[in-house]
Amino acid sequence: MAAPIRQSLFGVAKGRWRFEGLWAGSLGSRSLALAAAPSISGSPWRLLGAVCLQRPPLVSKPLTPLQEEMAALLQQIEVERSLYSDHELRALDEAQQLAKKKADLYDEEGDEQNVLLTQDMEDAWEQKFLQFKPGARITEADKKNDRTSLHRKLDRNLVLLVKEKLGDQDVWMLPQAEWQPGETLRGTAERTLATLSENNLEAKFLGNAPCGHYKFKFPQAMRTESSLGAKIFFFKALLVTGDFSQPRKKGQRVWVCKEELGDYLRPKYLAQVRRFLLDL
Amino acid sequence: MMNGALGKMLCLKNDIIFKQAFSLLRVRTSGENPISSAGGILLSTSRHYKTRPIHGIGRYKHLVKPKEPKKKRAKVEVRPINLGADYEYGVLNIHLTAYNMAVVESYAQYAHNLCNHLSIKVEKSYSMPTKTMEVLRLQDQGSKMLPDSVLTTHERVVQISGLSATFAEIFLEIIQSNLPEGVRLSVKEHTEEDFKGRFKTQPELEELLAKLN
């Protein structure tokens, strides 16, 4: 009889302790939340949102020799298997009529059936074609290898890189900004674009999810209790229109394709960035 | 002595069994005659297969799921499914338009194959009717319009569903970067108007409806 009572008391006591424990925990967390509003509660990592702004290719890539041969072969097969089009039928009819006229030496129908002969039309089209000049594939910027302009490498994706000061070193990286609580990481990326100096870039973010991340720890000198390092989340955006209005300083911004990234970025950073860059 | 007793017991047992069997048979024969005379569905005495162990050996209809008869105009109005943090799009239409039919058809094929490969469900893949445009050029000397060319616009639609938000980004980028020359891409959500736009206008039906209202 004594034993069960003791057990029940014990049980009650335990329950109460747990309850009090929960209470204390919740109160504690609330106070922590109040105190930690400006910074992330507990985590020693700083969060940064970066934007990987890509200029999509404007021109298709030139065909490889194999593709050229195949294309020529398929075109030939198609032409040989095709039927005559309206234009070609008309040309054949007119050729026949002309032959008949010459043979008979008198007009059967009086005037010609149509004012414009197919031969005349073809000549006119030929003239127009000669007047048309397609744009150059290899632009001036390519020849000069001017990496700050958007007009080079029209058949590749170009990514924007920015030079920034980290501590006492100049580092090339994708444009980034610090995350502020209350905003989504994608919002951070959009803010980065807006705050990049003097530009009227219009970008389209395809989704809300980041496409890659990079984590690094600060060097020993800079480490404090609350900041051990930083985590950068990359967001992909496609450039719709716009460009930097003035080259502010040379060597600050660069539009770079995938192979040239290696010239600028640090190896580990580069390895992470390369993982999500799609190059077709 | 013992053997005899045992034998007797066995015989008795056999008798009991036979008696039971006989009683069963009697029940069967007595019960069946009126039913068979009435022309019922029950078996006649000549069929014994229900007692054989292989009875019902070829039965499979109970294992096959019953097919629902397909409704003629099945509406697929799936609202975007929100799974908490992970969002999934409802039904999306990928419209590919171009002047060159061969290119657009082959790209629609490529998009379809890509979806199959990435295990995205393709609801259907259809084409919208072609639109013909005649381009008239103003004559150099004079105000007469001369026919310059005839352009046909072809449109192919690939309808997909069940695209997760995280993957949609990558998928869109793949499709965009692989677009051939002259093909325009547009990805939209499927709406009632899209569905109804495929039907031909029925003037008689519209007249009747107008009369009713």
Side-chain angles (χ1 to χ4, degrees):
Chain A
M1 279 293 286
I5 296 168
R6 216 186 297 154
Q7 272 181 2
S8 60
L9 274 172
F10 207 64
V12 165
K14 256 199 205 167
R16 215 185 290 158
W17 174 78
R18 240 179 267 146
F19 189 63
E20 275 173 10
L22 277 168
W23 253 99
S26 64
L27 278 171
S29 63
R30 220 180 291 157
S31 62
L32 260 177
L34 283 167
S39 74
I40 312 147
S41 53
S43 154
W45 297 94
R46 285 167 60 193
L47 291 182
L48 298 155
V51 64
C52 170
L53 188 62
Q54 281 183 325
R55 191 227 50 194
L58 298 169
V59 162
S60 62
K61 287 202 180 140
L63 299 172
T64 61
L66 176 67
Q67 283 175 336
E68 293 255 15
E69 275 184 41
M70 190 63 184
L73 180 69
L74 288 174
Q75 182 72 14
Q76 199 185 2
I77 292 174
E78 204 188 299
V79 166
E80 284 174 13
R81 289 173 105 185
S82 66
L83 304 167
Y84 284 127
S85 68
D86 291 337
H87 180 80
E88 284 175 332
L89 284 172
R90 248 178 57 176
L92 288 171
D93 282 337
E94 280 168 14
Q96 271 186 343
Q97 276 175 1
L98 277 174
K100 252 203 257 174
K101 271 189 203 167
K102 278 188 191 161
D104 295 345
L105 293 169
Y106 61 87
D107 289 347
E108 285 191 1
E109 267 123 68
D111 58 336
E112 288 177 2
Q113 273 180 336
N114 39 9
V115 181
L116 272 179
L117 287 178
T118 47
Q119 195 58 44
D120 297 337
M121 288 210 296
E122 278 176 22
D123 287 334
W125 294 338
E126 193 70 40
Q127 288 295 318
K128 259 191 260 169
F129 182 63
L130 289 169
Q131 281 171 3
F132 173 73
K133 288 229 159 29
R137 271 173 165 245
I138 305 175
T139 57
E140 273 183 49
D142 263 331
K143 289 180 198 156
K144 282 193 251 165
N145 202 9
D146 175 23
R147 293 196 174 171
T148 52
S149 85
L150 264 180
H151 272 287
R152 59 187 281 272
K153 299 247 173 175
L154 293 173
D155 55 351
R156 307 289 304 278
N157 279 3
L158 290 182
V159 182
L160 177 66
L161 283 187
V162 166
K163 202 185 217 181
E164 295 216 350
K165 277 213 163 181
L166 267 193
D168 49 347
Q169 285 175 352
D170 272 339
V171 174
W172 281 102
M173 59 170 78
L174 298 173
Q176 67 195 24
E178 180 122 15
W179 175 74
Q180 273 153 18
E183 112 184 301
T184 58
L185 273 171
R186 178 179 152 163
T188 319
E190 281 168 355
R191 197 161 48 87
T192 337
L193 267 189
T195 54
L196 270 182
S197 50
E198 298 153 11
N199 60 348
N200 48 354
L201 296 167
E202 263 180 45
K204 189 177 170 73
F205 282 87
L206 286 173
N208 290 327
C211 52
H213 72 284
Y214 178 63
K215 172 175 98 170
F216 67 96
K217 290 189 181 170
F218 293 136
Q220 286 288 348
M222 276 190 63
R223 280 188 213 181
T224 58
E225 273 181 19
S226 67
S227 61
L228 183 62
K231 290 187 181 172
I232 314 179
F233 290 93
F234 301 105
F235 285 85
K236 246 191 203 169
L238 290 180
L239 184 71
V240 176
T241 51
D243 193 4
F244 291 104
S245 47
Q246 286 170 27
R248 203 169 65 144
K249 273 184 218 170
K250 274 222 160 170
Q252 287 285 13
R253 291 180 224 104
V254 139
W255 291 96
V256 140
C257 75
K258 201 173 174 185
E259 286 98 25
E260 295 161 4
L261 275 179
D263 299 337
Y264 294 87
L265 298 177
R266 295 262 179 84
K268 281 192 186 165
Y269 193 82
L270 172 68
Q272 292 285 67
V273 166
R274 256 218 197 118
R275 285 175 72 182
F276 63 78
L277 273 188
L278 202 66
D279 210 12
L280 295 164
Chain B
M1 283 274 283
M2 286 293 288
N3 290 336
L6 271 170
K8 269 192 194 167
M9 280 181 58
L10 286 167
C11 286
L12 275 169
K13 263 197 188 165
N14 282 341
D15 282 334
I16 293 163
I17 292 164
F18 278 133
K19 273 188 196 157
Q20 281 177 345
F22 278 132
S23 60
L24 277 169
L25 276 169
R26 250 182 260 137
V27 161
R28 219 186 273 145
T29 47
S30 60
E32 274 169 30
N33 283 331
I35 294 168
S36 56
S37 62
I41 321 159
L42 285 178
L43 318 151
S44 56
T45 45
S46 57
R47 282 201 204 165
H48 294 293
Y49 65 82
K50 220 172 189 177
T51 55
R52 286 166 73 81
I54 57 159
H55 174 63
I57 195 167
R59 256 192 349 139
Y60 72 94
K61 279 276 160 90
H62 63 290
L63 298 168
V64 173
K65 280 186 214 167
K67 259 193 185 175
E68 285 171 23
K70 263 195 172 180
K71 286 183 281 180
K72 264 203 170 174
R73 289 178 198 180
K75 271 212 258 176
V76 185
E77 278 295 322
V78 180
R79 279 182 220 110
I81 310 159
N82 296 349
L83 305 170
D86 239 327
Y87 285 83
E88 257 185 34
Y89 284 100
V91 184
L92 289 176
N93 283 356
I94 306 176
H95 295 259
L96 305 161
T97 50
Y99 294 125
N100 186 354
M101 183 162 85
V103 169
V104 117
E105 274 185 347
S106 89
Y107 193 64
Q109 229 179 18
Y110 166 80
H112 201 306
N113 278 333
L114 188 76
C115 294
N116 285 350
H117 182 64
L118 298 168
S119 15
I120 302 172
K121 178 147 187 254
V122 176
E123 304 277 334
K124 36 178 123 129
S125 166
Y126 55 89
S127 58
M128 301 293 277
T130 57
K131 297 173 196 159
T132 327
M133 249 197 312
E134 211 191 326
V135 175
L136 299 166
R137 196 173 255 270
L138 192 63
Q139 213 175 20
D140 287 333
Q141 306 106 18
S143 58
K144 193 178 154 191
M145 302 283 265
L146 287 176
D148 190 28
S149 44
V150 172
L151 296 171
T152 48
T153 309
H154 307 267
E155 184 172 344
R156 299 282 179 275
V157 182
V158 179
Q159 197 175 80
I160 51 177
S161 70
L163 192 67
S164 71
T166 46
F167 187 63
E169 200 183 326
I170 307 168
F171 180 67
L172 280 176
E173 210 192 321
I174 296 175
I175 290 209
Q176 224 171 356
S177 46
N178 277 318
L179 270 181
E181 298 109 320
V183 179
R184 237 167 293 135
L185 169 74
S186 124
V187 181
K188 300 178 208 160
E189 283 172 0
H190 189 57
T191 56
E192 207 41 57
E193 291 88 35
D194 281 336
F195 182 69
K196 292 215 171 123
R198 293 180 69 193
F199 294 111
K200 276 197 208 169
T201 51
Q202 290 165 319
E204 298 142 353
L205 190 69
E206 281 170 18
E207 270 179 52
L208 286 171
L209 278 170
K211 275 189 196 169
L212 275 173
N213 296 345

